[in-house]
Amino acid sequence: KNMVHIHGYKPKIKSEIDISQDVRDLEQQLSLFMYKDISTYTHSKRVFQYAIDISEILQLDSIYYRKFVLGALIHDIGKLELPRDLLHRTIKLTTDDWNNIKSHVTWGKQIVLSQEKFKDLAPLVELHHERYDGKGYPHGFKEEEIPMLCRMLTIIDSFDAMTSERPYQKTKTFSEAI
C-alpha cells in the first residue's frame, strides 16, 4: 500500500525527523507580521533558511536541528508587541525607543513559553542578541554563558541584518558581512 521497507534500515522516530507541522504552526504566528511589518517576516524566513543550511553543513542531530531551525524562524516573534511606527522608524532612535526595541526578546520569550511544545525554543528567542564579548542584551552574557545554538543564531541573524536593505544602515555585500 505505497510503502517501501529497506532491510536493515531503522527509521528515526517520526517526531524527530518531521518538523513540518511545527514549522506550519510557527509560520501561522509569523503571518501576523504580514500586516504589521513585512520586513520582519521576510527577515525571519531568511534566517530560517540560513539555519537549515548551516544545520545541514554542520550535520546537527535531529534534536539540535529542530531547536535551531524553529528558533531561527520564531526568533523575532516578540516584535509583535512593538508599535508599528517604531518598527518602521528611519530616524535615530531615542533611548526609550531603543529600550522598547530591546524588550522584544523578553516578550518573545513569554510568547514562546505560553506554548508547551515550543518551550525549548525560549533561550533562542531570548538570547539571540547576546554577544560573545558580553555587550549584548538582555543579560550581558558572554562567551560560553551563551548556549551554542544561541551563538549560532546571533551570527546568522546579524549576517542577514547586514546584508539586507535597512533604512538606517548601508547594506553590506556578503563578503563584507563575513
Side-chain angles (χ1 to χ4, degrees), residues 30-38 41 80 82 84 88:
L30 281 181
S31 68
L32 297 171
F33 279 118
M34 298 292 273
Y35 87 95
K36 188 170 190 173
D37 183 33
I38 190 73
Y41 176 81
L80 285 172
L82 297 175
R84 182 183 301 202
H88 294 276

Side-chain angles (χ1 to χ4, degrees), residues 21-53:
Q21 184 59 49
D22 290 342
V23 170
R24 283 191 294 275
D25 292 345
L26 293 175
E27 282 183 329
Q28 187 173 18
Q29 291 181 34
L30 281 181
S31 68
L32 297 171
F33 279 118
M34 298 292 273
Y35 87 95
K36 188 170 190 173
D37 183 33
I38 190 73
S39 64
T40 298
Y41 176 81
T42 56
H43 164 72
S44 295
K45 295 291 279 183
R46 286 189 306 269
V47 171
F48 169 70
Q49 187 59 57
Y50 286 137
I52 291 171
D53 295 344

Side-chain angles (χ1 to χ4, degrees), residues 153-168:
L153 180 54
T154 298
I155 292 168
I156 60 176
D157 183 39
S158 300
F159 180 81
D160 186 70
M162 288 184 270
T163 58
S164 300
E165 189 173 327
R166 305 282 173 114
Y168 51 84

Side-chain angles (χ1 to χ4, degrees), residues 60-98:
L60 294 181
D61 70 33
S62 59
I63 293 168
Y64 280 130
Y65 176 84
R66 177 194 173 276
K67 192 173 185 178
F68 185 52
V69 168
L70 295 178
L73 181 60
I74 201 82
H75 75 281
D76 274 340
I77 194 70
K79 287 185 177 178
L80 285 172
E81 296 293 324
L82 297 175
R84 182 183 301 202
D85 68 309
L86 183 58
L87 292 171
H88 294 276
R89 191 141 322 147
T90 57
I91 58 172
K92 185 173 172 61
L93 297 176
T94 67
T95 301
D96 286 342
D97 290 340
W98 180 237

